[in-house]
Amino acid sequence: MTSGLPHLALALDTVRVHNAESGGEPQLLVGGSIAAHVPAAVLPASAVPASVVPGSVVPASVELVGSRLVLHADVEIDGDRWSAYIPLLTSRWGGPRVAPPSGEYRLRIMGTDAAVLTSATSTTPPQEPTLVAGVCLIEFSSAASNPVGATDATSGGPSDALTVTFSAPLTASERGPAQQARLEAQYHASKPTPLNAVFFESFYGQNASCNPRALDREIARTHPSVTRYWSVVDASVEVPAGGIALIEGSEEWWRVRAGARLLVVNDWLRKRFRRRAHQTVLQTWHGTPLKRIALTRRGLRPRAALATLRERARWDILLSQNTYSTHFFRTAYAFAHPWEEGYPRNDVLAGDAGAERGLELRDRLGVPRDATVVLYAPTWRDDHPEEVDQLDVAAFARELGPGYFTLIRGHSRTLRAAQDVHAANVLDVTSYPDVADLFLVADALVTDYSSAMFDFTVTGKPIYFFTPDLDRYRDEVRGFYFDLLAVSPGPVSESAEDLVANLRSPDAARERFAHRYAAWVARFNSLDDGHASERVVRRLEAHGAIG
């Protein structure tokens, strides 16, 4: 929304899901009558269809505005009525068409002059949830009782707009606490037939990425007869080609979780998991730790320690990127013998194919090929989980100036809670499926305490650290396993001005930190040689977990 644009009255009397059961592409139909009581000066005569009374408010387009996605549709005019069919399947990042991510979306109606039109809802939206099988569950609400003139921070539109809430497409027999309790009881009591299948899960099903995605690729190549299932929070999550998405909590999700011979995850399985005798659990984890984790965290309470040990007991295998990680996994998770094989997710970063792949990805993302691309990838803050970053990215991009392009990648824990950043020469890629692709796109990485620092150096590209809260984060919030300032492979800045200055002088930074960079790679990346996935799958074969 452009600041200062008027909110004009418009009737909204039609709200329903279209093609939900007919097999056609599912859409949300909204429509209403065209008001005729607004002064004629509001719109130019050339913008008004011949069938509409001069001076009417004429909608041109509608949008459903969520935190990380906007669904758009043009308006059709028929006499004194308007309508729009908003598609519920969209392609993001050049991938397949998928459902919108779960969450609240506000309806925003735009006029022919780009004004945001107030929708005076004169119909009651469907009161019962509408299930679009395999796509989403849809619920409607209208906050018509809000004060006139109030605006919504998410959509930029009036607060009396229609709210549409999308969630996972669970059936009536699957959704809700009572049904989940029933399915969980059946899961624990069942005696499943072992399945020649792998159950993958990455970051609690928020995406299909990281080490599990890399192992999916290798298993698909070497064991094409093995069925590959992916646990996902909803139908917005794109899974690798040939993989089968399982909506968390569905009957099929519970069934496969019990039957799959191999489970590959990169975070906790959580309390509902019960390992069967035929199952092997590979915990790949999701990064070499700078921050203290698990049993080594400061102030750990007995209950949290017990939960950590209970979770660790569910794992048969714990994957380690390097000797350093192996040492701390033995104490943090009391895991005696991790598999030290390098990280599968970094295989794509090694070798000569990365440069060409990076250019192809720039085209896919709409990033100029000739720009210097800076990837900003901070970690999350335990005490402020809603915060995506510590850097004003818009101001940062302006200070960098022409020739630079900034990608911002929030931590997986901020994926659903925060909103995309919109600014010139900035692209928010928090919802992009796999960060390894972004490492190929970037010319430089800016991070703080994220484990991305241990992966990006496989590329040999420069790395910079922005740590305005270093003392507090290190000494009060999490604690570190080593002194980052003493061994960092790139400049450490506590101010945005210093960070910009370092980025503008890459040759000086490279020369200054060449020795440290080489030592860092030798310490943390000696096994990231492009073949970690192959080694892990071979060991899984020898372990009898796949074959």
Side-chain angles (χ1 to χ4, degrees), residues 3 60 67 70 78 87 94 97 102 122 131 135 196 231 237 282 303 306-307 339 371 378 385 412 421 443 476 484-485:
S3 177
S67 62
V70 176
D78 184 9
R97 293 162 64 81
S102 296
S122 59
L131 177 64
V135 179
N196 185 29
S231 169
V237 179
L282 166 58
R303 185 171 181 178
L306 180 60
W339 284 9
S412 63
V421 174
D443 293 300
E476 300 177 28
L484 177 63
L485 292 177

Side-chain angles (χ1 to χ4, degrees), residues 135-149:
V135 179
C136 57
L137 185 73
I138 308 175
E139 297 177 88
F140 302 93
S141 62
S142 178
S145 61
N146 287 337
V148 175

Side-chain angles (χ1 to χ4, degrees), residues 14 22 95 114 128 180 200 255 279 314 409 463 484 505-506:
T14 301
S22 64
E128 294 298 320
Q180 283 300 300
F200 292 96
R255 183 187 73 84
Q279 292 186 309
R314 297 179 174 127
R409 171 76 172 195
I463 182 171
L484 177 63
S505 305

Side-chain angles (χ1 to χ4, degrees), residues 174-227:
E174 296 170 332
R175 62 180 181 265
Q179 297 299 342
Q180 283 300 300
R182 175 182 61 82
L183 291 170
E184 182 177 354
Q186 292 177 354
Y187 162 81
H188 284 292
S190 66
K191 297 180 180 179
T193 300
L195 302 174
N196 185 29
V198 184
F199 178 99
F200 292 96
E201 186 176 84
S202 177
F203 298 113
Y204 303 131
Q206 298 284 335
N207 55 36
S209 66
C210 192
N211 293 311
R213 189 180 186 98
L215 290 171
D216 172 283
R217 185 163 48 241
E218 180 64 12
I219 290 172
R221 184 183 73 84
T222 58
H223 297 274
S225 63
V226 173
T227 305

Side-chain angles (χ1 to χ4, degrees), residues 210-223 282 284 319 339 341-348 527-541 546:
C210 192
N211 293 311
R213 189 180 186 98
L215 290 171
D216 172 283
R217 185 163 48 241
E218 180 64 12
I219 290 172
R221 184 183 73 84
T222 58
H223 297 274
L282 166 58
T284 72
L319 188 61
W339 284 9
E341 297 290 354
Y343 263 174
R345 71 185 186 188
N346 292 337
D347 286 348
V348 298
L527 293 173
D528 293 320
D529 57 1
H531 302 285
S533 295
E534 297 174 22
R535 290 193 292 271
V536 172
V537 170
R538 284 199 297 268
R539 290 191 69 170
L540 288 171
E541 292 167 348
I546 195 169

Side-chain angles (χ1 to χ4, degrees), residues 18-62:
H18 181 67
N19 286 340
E21 300 177 355
S22 64
E25 180 172 311
Q27 301 167 316
L28 179 64
L29 170 61
V30 295
S33 60
I34 299 174
H37 61 274
V38 176
V42 168
L43 294 177
S46 60
V48 182
S51 59
V52 176
V53 176
S56 296
V57 178
V58 181
S61 63
V62 299

Side-chain angles (χ1 to χ4, degrees), residues 103-434:
E104 286 191 355
Y105 292 69
R106 290 295 184 112
L107 180 68
R108 182 165 63 188
I109 306 174
M110 308 297 293
T112 54
D113 62 348
V116 177
L117 309 181
T118 298
S119 56
T121 307
S122 59
T123 187
T124 301
Q127 298 299 295
E128 294 298 320
T130 301
L131 177 64
V132 183
V135 179
C136 57
L137 185 73
I138 308 175
E139 297 177 88
F140 302 93
S141 62
S142 178
S145 61
N146 287 337
V148 175
T151 58
D152 174 69
T154 299
S155 69
S159 62
D160 64 345
L162 179 75
T163 298
V164 180
T165 301
F166 297 114
S167 57
L170 297 175
T171 65
S173 63
E174 296 170 332
R175 62 180 181 265
Q179 297 299 342
Q180 283 300 300
R182 175 182 61 82
L183 291 170
E184 182 177 354
Q186 292 177 354
Y187 162 81
H188 284 292
S190 66
K191 297 180 180 179
T193 300
L195 302 174
N196 185 29
V198 184
F199 178 99
F200 292 96
E201 186 176 84
S202 177
F203 298 113
Y204 303 131
Q206 298 284 335
N207 55 36
S209 66
C210 192
N211 293 311
R213 189 180 186 98
L215 290 171
D216 172 283
R217 185 163 48 241
E218 180 64 12
I219 290 172
R221 184 183 73 84
T222 58
H223 297 274
S225 63
V226 173
T227 305
R228 295 154 24 243
Y229 293 100
W230 277 89
S231 169
V232 297
V233 293
D234 58 32
S236 73
V237 179
E238 175 192 348
V239 303
I244 300 173
L246 297 173
I247 303 297
E248 181 179 349
S250 65
E251 290 191 34
E252 185 70 352
W253 182 85
W254 285 107
R255 183 187 73 84
V256 174
R257 205 179 193 217
R261 287 178 57 197
L262 174 64
L263 293 91
V264 179
V265 299
N266 75 345
D267 215 321
W268 284 26
L269 282 157
R270 293 158 287 171
K271 63 182 181 181
R272 296 181 292 179
F273 177 72
R274 173 195 164 195
R275 185 179 56 190
R276 269 53 175 198
H278 66 271
Q279 292 186 309
T280 297
V281 175
L282 166 58
Q283 171 60 261
T284 72
W285 203 240
H286 50 268
T288 288
L290 165 68
K291 302 168 288 189
R292 291 183 173 273
I293 61 173
L295 297 175
T296 63
R297 290 188 65 166
R298 294 171 177 168
L300 188 71
R301 296 181 178 179
R303 185 171 181 178
L306 180 60
T308 299
L309 293 172
R310 184 182 296 118
E311 174 64 24
R312 172 259 171 270
R314 297 179 174 127
W315 308 340
D316 296 284
I317 306 160
L318 174 59
L319 188 61
S320 168
Q321 184 181 7
N322 44 53
T323 301
Y324 162 87
S325 295
T326 298
H327 170 73
F328 286 108
F329 283 155
R330 284 172 177 157
T331 54
Y333 276 109
F335 204 101
H337 302 291
W339 284 9
E340 190 177 307
E341 297 290 354
Y343 263 174
R345 71 185 186 188
N346 292 337
D347 286 348
V348 298
L349 305 180
D352 300 326
E356 183 60 32
R357 171 67 173 159
L359 291 176
E360 294 172 358
L361 288 165
R362 286 193 182 202
D363 294 341
R364 179 177 174 181
L365 296 173
V367 175
R369 283 198 170 201
D370 59 350
T372 298
V373 178
V374 178
L375 172 62
Y376 175 47
T379 192
W380 68 298
R381 299 303 192 269
D382 305 59
D383 52 343
H384 295 288
E386 74 284 355
E387 291 185 5
V388 177
D389 58 77
Q390 305 292 306
L391 182 66
D392 183 338
V393 177
F396 169 73
R398 287 195 302 271
E399 288 300 314
L400 279 176
Y404 289 88
F405 195 95
T406 301
L407 303 177
I408 177 171
R409 171 76 172 195
H411 191 275
S412 63
R413 290 181 183 267
T414 70
L415 178 60
R416 303 281 170 156
Q419 298 182 22
D420 275 358
V421 174
H422 299 280
N425 296 320
V426 173
L427 178 63
D428 195 312
V429 289
T430 301
S431 61
Y432 187 84
D434 199 359

